């Protein structure tokens, strides 16, 4: 085989791979995970974790899929941010979320792409220790209107604050921070948990180690985060190449423990449960995913 034939085959494979990676952004998936975290005798609690929609106005298929998630009948919805990818996304986003907003209690934090519109970036920056870039005049997104709409539906705004929520007739205590990727996180002052709370839940957009450490020290039973896109491009047998924050690649998505192994594994007795969502979108300037389908996760909390 000539060098030209080899080069042509490699180029064809690359084009095919890129085409599939674009198709995969539309292969929306509901993942299901069981977390044995509730006190003994408690019935199951279904928590829907939605993150990183990065919605643009034309993404009708994504809107329909998000609307369909209400059929899962979650007892609680947790949205960990990066909902919008365009200044005109608010209307379609609220249409997508409306079945959940009107049927389930919820809690939320914001991500950078709730505050600011995405911009083209050099993909090589993700290989650096600090992936953040500074923009002198970022275009602002209607995050205040989004927060108002979710708050009007009764969802708890956990932007650097604590709250409680009733889900399936049971009280949960909540603690959250603003986006650590933008250094907006200010951990709330300590407070006593309600005596009748069955669970203490931590919520953040980006799973930076400093935030996970604070939530672990705060006694969170479970921490939910997004931001990583699960690496977005994953290699079979290797996993995520990058995480876009300082968490390790092994925890780029899925159910883990922090700071050690999962609490149900050897050596994990002192760990907090951690779920990192791979999210359901991408930047419009990098519309590809590989071996990392867009997702939402239905977490079933069960008795320990």
């Amino acid at each position: 085989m000539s060098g030209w034939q080899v080069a042509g085959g490699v180029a064809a494979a690359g084009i095919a791979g890129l085409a599939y990676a674009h198709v995969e952004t539309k292969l929306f998936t509901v993942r299901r995970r069981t977390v044995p975290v509730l006190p003994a005798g408690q019935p199951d609690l279904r928590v829907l974790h939605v993150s990183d929609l990065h919605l643009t106005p034309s993404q009708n298929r994504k809107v329909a899929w998000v609307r369909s998630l209400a059929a899962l009948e979650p007892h609680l919805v947790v949205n960990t941010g990066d909902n919008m990818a365009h200044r005109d996304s608010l209307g379609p986003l609220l249409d997508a979320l409306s079945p959940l907003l009107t049927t389930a209690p919820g809690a939320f934090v914001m991500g950078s792409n709730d505050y600011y519109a995405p911009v083209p970036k050099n993909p090589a920056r993700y290989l650096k220790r600090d992936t953040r870039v500074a923009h002198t005049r970022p275009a602002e997104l209607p995050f205040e209107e989004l927060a108002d709409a979710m708050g009007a539906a009764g969802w708890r705004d956990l932007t650097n604050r604590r709250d409680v929520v009733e889900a399936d007739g049971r009280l949960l205590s909540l603690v959250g921070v603003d986006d650590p990727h933008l250094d907006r996180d200010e951990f709330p002052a300590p407070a006593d948990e309600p005596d009748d709370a069955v669970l203490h839940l931590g919520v953040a957009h980006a799973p930076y180690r400093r935030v996970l450490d604070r939530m672990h020290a705060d006694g969170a039973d479970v921490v939910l985060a997004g931001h990583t896109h699960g690496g977005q491009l994953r290699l079979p047998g290797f996993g995520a190449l990058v995480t876009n924050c300082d968490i390790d690649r092994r925890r780029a998505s899925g159910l883990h423990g922090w700071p050690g192994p999962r609490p149900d594994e050897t050596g994990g007795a002192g760990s907090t449960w951690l779920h990192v969502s791979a999210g359901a979108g991408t930047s419009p300037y990098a519309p590809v995913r590989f071996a990392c389908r867009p997702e939402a996760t239905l977490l079933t909390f069960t008795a320990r």
Side-chain angles (χ1 to χ4, degrees):
M1 182 179 293
S2 71
W4 287 108
Q5 289 174 311
V6 171
V10 170
I15 292 171
L18 186 61
Y20 170 77
H22 179 67
V23 169
E24 189 171 304
T25 64
K26 301 172 179 61
L27 301 181
F28 301 109
T29 301
V30 175
R31 304 203 185 277
R32 298 171 187 264
R33 299 288 183 266
T34 300
V35 190
V37 69
L38 293 174
Q42 285 285 328
D44 291 354
L45 187 73
R46 296 187 301 277
V47 178
L48 178 65
H49 185 184
V50 178
S51 195
D52 296 87
L53 297 177
H54 293 281
L55 189 70
T56 62
S58 62
Q59 291 176 328
N60 297 324
R61 183 181 300 183
K62 187 186 294 182
V63 168
W65 175 72
V66 175
R67 288 180 61 86
S68 75
L69 297 176
L72 298 172
E73 298 184 338
H75 297 126
L76 177 71
V77 180
V78 177
N79 183 314
T80 49
D82 270 10
N83 291 279
M84 297 180 283
H86 191 279
R87 65 178 181 271
D88 296 328
S89 291
L90 182 62
L93 173 63
L94 294 179
D95 178 39
L97 293 175
S98 61
L100 294 170
L101 289 168
T102 56
T103 60
F108 66 92
V109 293
M110 297 293 182
S112 60
N113 286 152
D114 295 305
Y115 295 117
Y116 306 112
V119 296
K121 300 169 185 174
N122 181 353
R125 74 186 180 87
Y126 289 104
L127 301 176
K128 299 167 58 179
R129 177 178 290 274
D130 189 341
T131 63
R132 293 170 293 184
V133 294
H135 302 290
T136 55
R137 298 185 64 183
E140 292 192 359
L141 295 173
F143 68 92
E144 292 178 330
E145 291 91 332
L146 174 59
D148 288 345
M150 291 194 287
W155 285 20
R156 303 301 197 259
D157 185 346
L158 300 179
T159 305
N160 294 330
R161 62 183 300 272
R162 299 175 184 272
D163 212 323
V164 295
V165 65
E166 185 176 304
D168 191 37
R170 287 168 281 177
L171 198 65
L172 281 66
S173 62
L174 309 170
V175 62
V177 294
D178 204 350
D179 188 9
H181 195 61
L182 296 180
D183 293 324
R184 297 174 68 122
D185 54 300
E186 296 179 10
F187 204 82
D192 293 333
E193 291 184 42
D195 292 337
D196 51 350
V198 300
L199 193 75
H200 185 38
L201 187 63
V203 182
H205 173 62
Y208 277 84
R209 299 171 64 92
R210 65 180 185 273
V211 173
L212 301 181
D213 287 342
R214 291 295 300 272
M215 290 186 170
H216 175 67
D218 198 61
D221 297 297
V222 185
V223 177
L224 304 185
H227 175 73
T228 64
H229 295 192
Q232 193 163 324
L233 302 175
R234 299 175 65 94
L235 296 182
F238 183 82
L241 300 175
V242 295
T243 65
N244 198 20
C245 63
D246 65 357
I247 199 172
D248 54 284
R249 292 186 302 100
R250 183 174 61 87
R251 293 183 174 96
S253 65
L255 189 61
H256 304 280
W258 185 267
R262 289 170 38 145
D264 61 350
E265 295 178 344
T266 301
S271 291
T272 294
W273 285 100
L274 169 66
H275 182 260
V276 180
S277 173
T282 70
S283 165
Y285 300 105
V288 291
R289 295 178 77 110
F290 190 82
C292 188
R293 291 188 178 188
E295 67 178 39
T297 305
L298 186 68
L299 299 163
T300 300
F301 294 166
T302 63
R304 291 187 288 266

